[in-house]
Amino acid sequence: MHMFKVIVSYTVVVVCGAMVVAALAEKKDMENRRESLHAQAINCRKTDFPVEQIFIERWSPRALSGKAISDEELMTLFEAARWAASSFNAQPWRFVYAKRGTPEWNTFFDWLVDFNKSWATNASALILVMSYKYFPHNHEFNPTHGFDTGAAWQNIALQASKMGLVAHGMGGFDYARARKDLSISDDFDIHMMIAIGKPGDLSVLPAELRSREEPSIRNPIKSFAFEGCLKSNE
């Protein structure tokens, strides 16, 4: 009996040790992938004026590993969204999500157009983003409900980048089916979906997408910021 207890204890120690080693290895891999993604952005993006690196480092890869993310990681993204600015502090954003491997996943995934299905199949979670159109304090129409929800989405995107996660926004899905499947009333506008996941190897992407897996550049400030009046971009 004593020898049996010794063997059991030894086995537990070995298994726990292996789990710790695996967790540390995964954490290191995530850190390396995060640094690689950030380096890609920094190397090809140049600013005209100094800004914080977090804005430059964030981009939208499609190569995802298919690995699960924890509830804590997902809730951290929503915590970031929670602190976005909004008119009258109405906080009109609403997020409905499905995690990979759950019955809801197939419903959300089926809304996507084929192009997005080709890479989002490796996402860890899919999020439907919508906004409540009225102020809660007086039930009048809130003209900035969509604008404010965009700020919440940006918070998610920046937080994900900081954590080494991918947050890729998508407009290519069936809005009407999403509304019907979730019984979403006309009090809400549906805006987008987000694929959340851990970075993966380029090889997981369809061949036609691999050459597109790089940070995009931006238009110059003079094309969108004008003093005194709106000017033509031509």
Side-chain angles (χ1 to χ4, degrees), residues 50-128:
V51 296
E52 296 295 327
Q53 287 288 89
I54 188 173
F55 301 112
I56 310 305
E57 293 169 345
R58 188 219 64 82
W59 61 290
S60 302
R62 292 188 176 91
L64 301 169
S65 70
K67 295 180 180 179
I69 60 173
S70 67
D71 287 342
E72 182 177 356
E73 288 172 312
L74 192 55
M75 292 305 118
T76 297
L77 299 181
F78 293 138
E79 181 69 28
R82 179 183 173 213
W83 294 101
S86 63
S87 178
F88 280 96
N89 195 30
Q91 303 169 48
W93 44 83
R94 301 291 187 272
F95 305 102
V96 182
Y97 63 92
K99 294 185 291 185
R100 183 183 184 83
T102 65
E104 295 79 14
W105 169 268
N106 291 333
T107 298
F108 282 53
F109 186 77
D110 285 345
W111 299 334
L112 300 177
V113 298
D114 289 342
F115 173 80
N116 285 331
K117 284 180 178 177
S118 71
W119 61 269
T121 185
N122 292 317
S124 305
L126 294 172
I127 303 172
L128 183 69

Side-chain angles (χ1 to χ4, degrees), residues 5-182:
K5 289 182 177 180
V6 170
I7 293 173
V8 170
S9 298
Y10 177 77
T11 302
V12 170
V13 170
V14 170
V15 170
C16 290
M19 291 174 63
V20 170
V21 170
L24 290 174
E26 183 174 358
K27 181 180 179 181
K28 183 63 176 177
D29 180 61
M30 279 286 292
E31 290 175 350
N32 289 339
R33 289 183 183 276
R34 179 188 63 195
E35 295 305 317
S36 176
L37 290 176
H38 289 180
Q40 279 183 262
I42 292 171
N43 289 339
C44 72
R45 290 173 162 178
K46 305 302 176 186
T47 64
D48 295 328
F49 299 90
V51 296
E52 296 295 327
Q53 287 288 89
I54 188 173
F55 301 112
I56 310 305
E57 293 169 345
R58 188 219 64 82
W59 61 290
S60 302
R62 292 188 176 91
L64 301 169
S65 70
K67 295 180 180 179
I69 60 173
S70 67
D71 287 342
E72 182 177 356
E73 288 172 312
L74 192 55
M75 292 305 118
T76 297
L77 299 181
F78 293 138
E79 181 69 28
R82 179 183 173 213
W83 294 101
S86 63
S87 178
F88 280 96
N89 195 30
Q91 303 169 48
W93 44 83
R94 301 291 187 272
F95 305 102
V96 182
Y97 63 92
K99 294 185 291 185
R100 183 183 184 83
T102 65
E104 295 79 14
W105 169 268
N106 291 333
T107 298
F108 282 53
F109 186 77
D110 285 345
W111 299 334
L112 300 177
V113 298
D114 289 342
F115 173 80
N116 285 331
K117 284 180 178 177
S118 71
W119 61 269
T121 185
N122 292 317
S124 305
L126 294 172
I127 303 172
L128 183 69
V129 182
M130 65 197 83
S131 62
Y132 182 60
K133 297 191 290 187
Y134 303 95
F135 287 116
H137 67 281
N138 60 12
H139 304 293
E140 293 183 0
F141 179 71
N142 176 1
T144 67
H145 65 91
F147 182 84
D148 296 343
T149 299
W153 145 240
Q154 178 74 339
N155 280 15
I156 287 178
L158 292 174
Q159 180 65 39
S161 177
K162 200 70 176 176
M163 294 166 64
L165 297 173
V166 171
H168 192 114
M170 300 175 287
F173 67 98
D174 193 325
Y175 286 66
R177 277 191 61 191
R179 184 178 293 277
K180 179 180 178 181
D181 289 346
L182 297 186

